[in-house]
Amino acid sequence: MTGERGLIARHAGTVLVGQLAVMAFGVTDTIIAGRYSEHALAALSVGAAIFVSVYVSLMGVLQALLPVWAELHGAGRGNEVGRSVRQSLYLAAILIAVGMVMLLLPGGALRWTQVPADMRGEVEAYLAVLAFALAPALLFRLFSTLNQSLGKPQLVTWLQLGSLVVKLPLSIWFTFGGAGLPAMGLVGCAWATLCVNWTMLGCAVWLLHSSPFYRGYALWKRIEPPDWHQIRQFARLGVPGGLAVLVEVTSFTLMALFIARLGTAAAAAHQIASNLLAVAYMTPLSLAIATSARVSFWLGAGDAAKARHACRLGFELTLSCALLYAGVMVALRHQLANVYSDNPAVIAVAAALLLAVALYHVADALQTLCVFLLRCYRVTLAPLVIYCAMLWGLGLGGSYLLAYRGLGPWEAMQSPMAFWIMSAGALVLTALLFGALLQWTMKKRSA
């Protein structure tokens, strides 16, 4: 594979390996919690949904800075990258403070969504530990975004792979106990994540200071006072992007919280389906990151035609992979569910859910690529509006009605399948709207 397609594929492949290593954190915790107890798995489905909502939303703000640094790189202005990165630390500090407060005070959300009382204590203890794992996670994401924008994601991937080697044994040890350590249950998984996140950040800082690759970007100059003009520019790009991610992820989170009232079997099956979807999502996410880095590079270099060509190649690769993954989900749905649980009731529900998850994944892959490419062209507000209408309105609102009250000619299903059917339909419409918006934006830019 040569040329632009090869560059995108290699970049995406490198990012994918690292992302899968990080996703293996969640897979590991899901399997360990499921083997520890069904109650722990159900609590994880709620706790993980809340943490992911907070983390991914805040991460989206920082990830949206990728086009800024990629354009500087493409324009040959590498000496300006260091100052820009240092200014982004002020934005990161604000996000960390907001996120920690949300994770330390989840009680209101748990009561509002009527999560069973016997589950709340374990969920709150799990989130309290993860609150202190948020800062290193977001700062490492900043390091990752910088490397992706410069077209050099390899160092990030090696750190993520190494972290998995540490995470797996720690999660097992802390959860089940042994060697003088008492069993912590689900909270043990959170403590393992905290240890690994701080270790990864320490390694990233060491690499930034010692690797010759970063010397040309003047990263280690004394940090300047806040440049509020630049920080506002970051916010105008990142905050709508982060809010768009918030809408997408919270629609998913609220789905988990609403499903929790259907019982532990339904919650556990939903956790299996959502975990498999999250693993599959890493491929289109990696392709979106790689494609947007190349598109922004060419826009910075002043070559709009090559930017459009990179967009087309990204779509070809993303659609091909999405269809392949959807086929695997449908064909192996029972076997995949059995990896996570040996409860026949949970396996049956999860296998059925994967039929809807397959459609959800194809639409999710395409809309993800569109969102990243729209950010390259500084289009962020329109996607946010579309997300609110489609995912919160049609997807989540329609799901709740279909599940618990009935929708049109359909009676209430009292099943997690209602949430996946409506959410998949909403995401299909979202992908179509984003595709039309991207096409219009590129035509306007080239006119």
Side-chain angles (χ1 to χ4, degrees), residues 19 38 377:
Q19 293 288 356
E38 186 176 308
Y377 292 95

Side-chain angles (χ1 to χ4, degrees), residues 166-303:
V166 179
K167 167 68 174 173
L168 178 58
L170 282 182
S171 288
I172 295 173
W173 183 29
F174 290 171
T175 299
F176 291 97
L181 186 72
M184 299 184 194
L186 178 60
V187 177
C189 293
W191 278 108
T193 298
L194 184 146
C195 293
V196 169
N197 284 0
W198 281 105
T199 301
M200 288 174 66
L201 178 61
C203 292
V205 171
W206 177 78
L207 284 170
L208 286 171
H209 190 267
S210 62
S211 174
F213 171 72
Y214 301 105
R215 289 175 187 165
Y217 300 105
L219 295 171
W220 284 99
K221 291 184 178 179
R222 184 173 181 177
I223 189 169
E224 300 84 357
D227 181 345
W228 294 110
H229 174 71
Q230 185 168 30
I231 293 172
R232 281 194 295 270
Q233 288 184 322
F234 287 161
R236 277 196 290 269
L237 179 63
V239 171
L243 289 175
V245 174
L246 176 65
V247 173
E248 182 181 11
V249 175
T250 52
S251 67
F252 206 77
T253 301
L254 290 172
M255 187 195 309
L257 298 179
F258 287 134
I259 287 173
R261 68 177 71 172
L262 294 172
T264 56
H270 171 74
Q271 175 63 12
I272 292 170
S274 60
N275 193 257
L276 286 168
L277 177 67
V279 173
Y281 175 73
M282 290 302 101
T283 296
L285 175 61
S286 300
L287 285 165
I289 290 170
T291 304
S292 64
R294 293 302 297 168
V295 170
S296 292
F297 177 88
W298 288 120
L299 291 175
D303 196 329

Side-chain angles (χ1 to χ4, degrees), residues 46-192:
V46 176
I50 294 174
F51 176 75
V52 168
S53 296
V54 174
Y55 169 64
V56 175
S57 301
L58 300 179
M59 180 194 75
V61 179
L62 300 179
Q63 185 71 57
L65 302 182
L66 186 152
V68 175
W69 299 330
E71 283 192 17
L72 290 175
H73 178 50
R77 295 157 58 192
N79 59 325
E80 299 179 29
V81 171
R83 186 179 187 281
S84 181
V85 170
R86 289 190 294 276
Q87 288 297 311
S88 72
L89 293 175
Y90 291 109
L91 179 61
I94 296 171
L95 298 178
I96 289 167
V98 171
M100 288 188 69
V101 170
M102 296 172 70
L103 292 175
L104 290 170
L105 301 172
L110 297 177
R111 289 189 295 273
W112 175 63
T113 52
Q114 299 179 28
V115 171
D118 63 344
M119 195 186 295
R120 292 177 196 168
E122 194 167 8
V123 171
E124 290 177 350
Y126 175 77
L127 293 175
V129 175
L130 288 182
F132 294 93
L134 182 66
L138 289 176
L139 291 173
F140 187 84
R141 175 55 59 176
L142 204 60
F143 170 73
S144 176
T145 299
L146 171 64
N147 280 268
Q148 291 159 359
S149 69
L150 301 177
K152 296 290 184 180
Q154 294 89 344
L155 290 176
V156 176
T157 296
W158 281 113
L159 287 176
Q160 290 168 329
L161 286 170
S163 69
L164 179 60
V165 176
V166 179
K167 167 68 174 173
L168 178 58
L170 282 182
S171 288
I172 295 173
W173 183 29
F174 290 171
T175 299
F176 291 97
L181 186 72
M184 299 184 194
L186 178 60
V187 177
C189 293
W191 278 108

